[in-house]
Amino acid sequence: MSDRVLVVNCGSSSLKYRLVDVAAGEALAWGLAERVGQPSGRLTHHRPGEPPDVVERALPDHGVALGAALEALDRSGPRLADAGLVAVAHRVVHGGDRFSAPVRIDDEVLGAIRELAALAPLHNPVNAVGIDVARRAFPGLPHVAVFDTAFHATLPPAAHTYAVPPQWARDHGVRRYGFHGTSHAFVSRAAAELLGRPLEEVNSVVLHLGNGASATAVAGGRSVDTSMGLTPLEGLVMGTRSGDVDPAVVAHLHRVAGLGPEEVDRALNSSSGMLALAGTNDLREVHRRIDDGDQAAALALDVFCHRVRKYVGAYLAVLGRTDAVVFTGGIGENDPVVRARSLGGLEALGIRLDAERNAARSPGARRVSADDSPVAVLVVPTDEELEMARQTVDLLAR
Ligand code: ADP
């Protein structure tokens, strides 16, 4: 039986899991526990080709949520006891300066993940809770932490240094880290495979456009610049996050509106982005509203695509020579309008989309540029869980 890894991703009120067969590159089962910590919760468990197993019940904490997931696996299969499980992989958002690769978790590593909560207060503590409950559920298995920041450990100083007082960097870790690294790693490798060229020779601009969104310049498989910074707030316009704003906004709103820094931070993270401009963070709904003549939704889409275009231009310059622009994430994979609006009119920069290929709906990795486009434009569905499982098996084989 080949290596199978249980991938766990804990959010503040959710727990996602996926049982991955690494050699086959496929999921044997996956599920989502929602509204963890709230009075009424739900667990939805899936197996390929079967109706979902849905349980509505309170999930007061992540330990109970994981227990409910294990019960669903026992009930609907595959039973983990017979599944050939070799490890549990945990998504951890922030690895700070400390973690530049996946790491086997012991008490010391778990302590370090908790200490990094200063940099990721919304994510690392809950990631640590997930690790804690899973280690108790599977005490005999290796547990591995895979960090969202790790792929960007290769950023050169020119790209990761903010021009701020150096003691902020030294004493408080104020620098750019970058996120979505697991996705950018998976997608840049898959893009090289699609082009039929060795990863080391391929330069790409990867656009992960989902509810969170980020752009990365990848040179020969190494991240050399990325749009997210100290936190996942910087860069592109996202579902509920502003992306780039003048940092003076914080002091300005304090002076003119009496808003505190925490309040502004919350608003920039949770009630900005497409939600603020269009009234919804679902791009499908944005398109519906535009079709109904909604001017605010039209402006929101303009702002979103303009920001993507700006980062593409910047990263073409950072890379010098670019082989591919690669779209991924819920929007990148499914929204031909965003792709066309972001890259239209860039023929002089070597980017020529093929309108028909771009408009065609297809689930797989594919080329959407014209055959004579010097820069290939690709759509590559991301698979962060498979990437995490692969990295985990690689680590354990070392
Ligand atoms: P997350 O960052 O939460 O993983 P996803 O990568 O799943 O998010 O992306 C969610 C986004 O993808 C939402 O804005 C949703 O509207 C968008 N999306 C999903 N399907 C489509 C589609 N067919 N057309 C346009 N946008 C889509």
Side-chain angles (χ1 to χ4, degrees):
M1 194 185 295
S2 79
D3 291 340
R4 285 162 178 185
V5 175
L6 182 67
V7 178
V8 176
N9 180 356
C10 262
S12 57
S13 64
S14 69
L15 184 151
K16 286 189 214 160
Y17 60 95
R18 188 174 286 242
L19 179 63
V20 178
D21 183 307
V22 175
E26 59 190 34
L28 305 174
W30 64 97
L32 168 68
E34 298 168 88
R35 302 194 300 272
V36 177
Q38 293 172 28
S40 70
R42 175 167 53 206
L43 183 102
T44 312
H45 177 78
H46 298 268
R47 290 196 74 177
E50 289 180 21
D53 172 351
V54 184
V55 181
E56 305 274 353
R57 58 175 270 208
L59 303 166
D61 57 43
H62 287 86
V64 176
L66 183 65
L70 299 182
E71 283 165 24
L73 281 155
D74 264 347
R75 192 169 52 240
S76 298
R79 276 170 47 83
L80 288 186
D82 318 320
L85 203 57
V86 296
V88 183
H90 297 269
R91 179 174 182 214
V92 178
V93 166
H94 219 307
D97 273 334
R98 164 89 194 259
F99 299 108
S100 55
V103 63
R104 199 165 165 155
I105 298 167
D106 56 20
D107 291 344
E108 204 259 323
V109 167
L110 183 56
I113 290 170
R114 286 203 176 99
E115 277 167 28
L116 286 164
L119 286 168
L122 298 179
H123 298 107
N124 273 43
V126 72
N127 297 155
V129 168
I131 291 170
D132 213 23
V133 299
R135 281 174 94 202
R136 268 186 264 135
F138 300 101
L141 282 179
H143 290 253
V144 171
V146 182
F147 299 90
D148 263 25
T149 47
F151 182 60
H152 304 297
T154 51
L155 288 182
H160 75 62
T161 307
Y162 287 122
V164 298
Q167 63 270 28
W168 292 4
R170 203 176 46 236
D171 299 343
H172 306 299
V174 175
R175 49 157 285 184
R176 315 185 67 255
Y177 295 95
F179 298 86
H180 284 152
T182 310
S183 177
H184 288 294
F186 177 88
V187 168
S188 51
R189 184 161 2 90
E193 280 165 18
L194 190 60
L195 295 176
R197 293 177 55 190
L199 179 61
E200 299 69 34
E201 289 177 11
V202 173
N203 288 353
S204 56
V205 177
V206 180
L207 301 165
H208 178 116
L209 310 179
N211 218 359
S214 66
T216 296
V218 184
R222 295 159 66 83
S223 171
V224 294
D225 206 347
T226 193
S227 59
M228 286 175 167
L230 174 74
T231 76
L233 181 58
E234 193 177 344
L236 301 178
V237 176
M238 309 181 212
T240 66
R241 291 177 228 152
S242 61
D244 294 333
V245 291
D246 184 339
V249 160
V250 182
H252 176 74
L253 287 172
H254 181 61
R255 278 193 303 270
V256 301
L259 298 182
E262 294 294 336
E263 218 170 332
V264 177
D265 188 56
R266 227 180 357 260
L268 292 174
N269 275 290
S270 310
S271 48
S272 295
M274 295 306 281
L275 179 63
L277 295 184
T280 170
N281 59 347
D282 188 329
L283 258 285
R284 289 162 292 197
E285 177 61 19
V286 173
H287 288 298
R288 278 192 285 272
R289 292 183 185 194
I290 293 172
D291 291 344
D292 290 344
D294 184 330
Q295 297 291 317
L299 175 64
L301 191 68
D302 282 348
V303 175
F304 185 93
C305 295
H306 178 78
R307 187 79 53 86
V308 173
R309 173 189 289 269
K310 245 167 71 166
Y311 271 91
V312 169
Y315 289 172
L316 293 179
V318 165
L319 290 170
R321 190 208 81 233
T322 302
D323 301 292
V325 175
V326 195
F327 286 92
T328 194
I331 300 165
E333 292 167 29
N334 296 303
D335 195 328
V337 177
V338 164
R339 293 194 296 261
R341 295 275 293 276
S342 301
L343 298 186
L346 297 185
E347 289 78 8
L349 297 177
I351 297 175
R352 195 168 300 129
L353 272 180
D354 180 287
E356 215 168 290
R357 286 180 187 166
N358 183 45
R361 299 221 166 261
S362 161
R366 59 202 186 270
R367 185 189 292 252
V368 294
S369 48
D371 288 333
D372 63 353
S373 179
V375 177
V377 182
L378 309 176
V379 176
V380 174
T382 194
D383 194 336
E384 288 165 280
E385 288 83 4
L386 175 58
E387 178 68 23
M388 288 174 62
R390 280 181 182 160
Q391 291 189 13
T392 295
V393 169
D394 285 352
L395 172 73
L396 297 176
R398 259 181 244 148

